[in-house]
Amino acid sequence: MSKLRVAVIGAKGRIGSEAARSVEAADDLDLVAAIDRDDPLETLTEAGTQVAVDLTHPDAVLGNLEFCVGHGIHAVVGTTGWTTERLATLRGWLEAAPGTGALVAPNFSIGAVLTMQFAQQAARWFESVEVIELHHDNKADAPSGTATRTAQLIAAARTEAGRPAQHDPTTHGLDGARGADVDGVPVHSVRLRGLLAHQEVLFGGTGETLTIRHDSLHHSSFMPGILLAVRTVPSAPGLTYGLEHFLTDGPAAADGSPTGPRGA
Ligand SMILES: NC(=O)C1=CN([C@@H]2O[C@H](COP(=O)(O)OP(=O)(O)OC[C@H]3O[C@@H](n4cnc5c(N)ncnc54)[C@H](OP(=O)(O)O)[C@@H]3O)[C@@H](O)[C@H]2O)C=CC1
Ligand SMILES: O=C(O)C1=N[C@H](C(=O)O)C[C@H](O)C1
């Protein structure tokens, strides 16, 4: 079988460089382009790219995707900064390019995906919930894409369960002390040298609390998810939001890596 022709955009970055190495090391994938800020996007078409992985910056990602989708290149997107409006724009481009797929994943690590699912499951049962995300000191966006998505999922689950808005007794406080409000869920962002990517979801009920914590200790935590997405997106036309949609209940890989429809 011919190898899937893959490009990485943002290939000099923290995660992009690791992704380029992982694609290069995969037997069934061919790294045909590894571009960064000053390289023309035409490099992708000239290289015959079938799937592009975008790991750049919230300011750059939409322009990159307009080019990719416009040229029928499937996209795997880890870059953050997504809003409802931005997702709608991307969906519109994909509708005009039938057969082309894009996966936007707030987080590619299996632990983070499970954290979101567990949080969504717990949300209906607890009166209070707050999210704390902690990242390295070079992160451009706050709250993180993962924390934003986690809070949105929690809020939707609370609404579905008929839970009222959370009680907040604060009448005196400094701006920001209670975090950012994401659909009614307070989200607190810590930026600290030495950290990579971490998140705690704290639930509180009568006489008890529940904490769900996930830690990405190395960029390698994102690689199995990125490779799974690269292998799956050509058979998933349109917009997919969240890696969970590419996971299956098939046999687990020996190292616990997520598996998908192609046994990736
Ligand atoms: N979904 C997930 O699981 C994960 C997502 N991320 C996200 O990925 C993104 C990148 O993170 P990180 O690697 O830490 O960031 P970095 O700043 O280390 O890397 C981004 C790279 O993209 C380059 N770049 C910026 N603009 C463009 C452009 N227009 N075209 C091509 N390259 C460009 C940057 O160049 P320059 O330095 O010159 O600006 C840099 O080399 C962030 O949004 C982050 O949140 C990160 C980890 C996991
Ligand atoms: O910038 C990062 O590092 C990360 N960004 C993503 C996010 O904003 O959620 C995923 C992960 O947290 C690492």
Side-chain angles (χ1 to χ4, degrees), residues 9-16 35-39 41 54-61 64 77-81 105-109 136 138-139 141 145-146 219 222 226:
I9 317 179
K12 290 184 183 164
R14 275 178 291 272
I15 181 165
I35 66 171
D36 209 82
R37 180 187 283 281
D38 296 324
D39 302 312
L41 287 169
D54 191 290
L55 297 162
T56 58
H57 189 280
D59 291 343
V61 64
N64 296 340
V77 186
T79 308
T80 44
N107 202 306
F108 287 108
S109 85
H136 58 89
N138 284 306
K139 187 163 175 57
D141 55 312
T146 309
H219 278 113
F222 305 113
I226 289 177

Side-chain angles (χ1 to χ4, degrees), residues 11-186:
K12 290 184 183 164
R14 275 178 291 272
I15 181 165
S17 53
E18 183 90 16
R21 276 192 294 277
S22 294
V23 169
E24 213 162 21
D27 290 341
D28 58 331
L29 308 178
D30 197 359
L31 181 69
V32 295
I35 66 171
D36 209 82
R37 180 187 283 281
D38 296 324
D39 302 312
L41 287 169
E42 287 70 24
T43 307
L44 305 181
T45 40
E46 285 161 12
T49 304
Q50 294 172 286
V51 178
V53 182
D54 191 290
L55 297 162
T56 58
H57 189 280
D59 291 343
V61 64
L62 271 189
N64 296 340
L65 292 178
E66 185 173 21
F67 179 91
C68 289
V69 175
H71 289 84
I73 298 172
H74 308 289
V76 168
V77 186
T79 308
T80 44
W82 290 94
T83 58
T84 310
E85 294 72 28
R86 283 175 155 233
L87 288 169
T89 300
L90 174 57
R91 197 174 280 113
W93 293 334
L94 288 161
E95 279 165 9
T100 306
L103 167 76
V104 176
N107 202 306
F108 287 108
S109 85
I110 187 67
V113 171
L114 290 174
T115 298
M116 287 185 257
Q117 294 182 335
F118 295 158
Q120 200 176 0
Q121 194 184 342
R124 64 182 294 113
W125 302 105
F126 289 90
E127 201 172 304
S128 315
V129 54
E130 309 223 353
V131 178
I132 306 172
E133 56 96 342
L134 310 89
H135 278 81
H136 58 89
D137 59 338
N138 284 306
K139 187 163 175 57
D141 55 312
S144 71
T146 309
T148 302
R149 186 68 186 140
T150 306
Q152 288 167 344
L153 292 169
I154 289 169
R158 285 176 66 94
T159 302
E160 198 183 305
R163 283 209 163 270
Q166 292 200 73
H167 160 71
D168 185 345
T170 313
T171 52
H172 295 66
L174 289 178
D175 279 353
R178 296 288 295 118
D181 181 329
V182 179
D183 295 352
V185 178

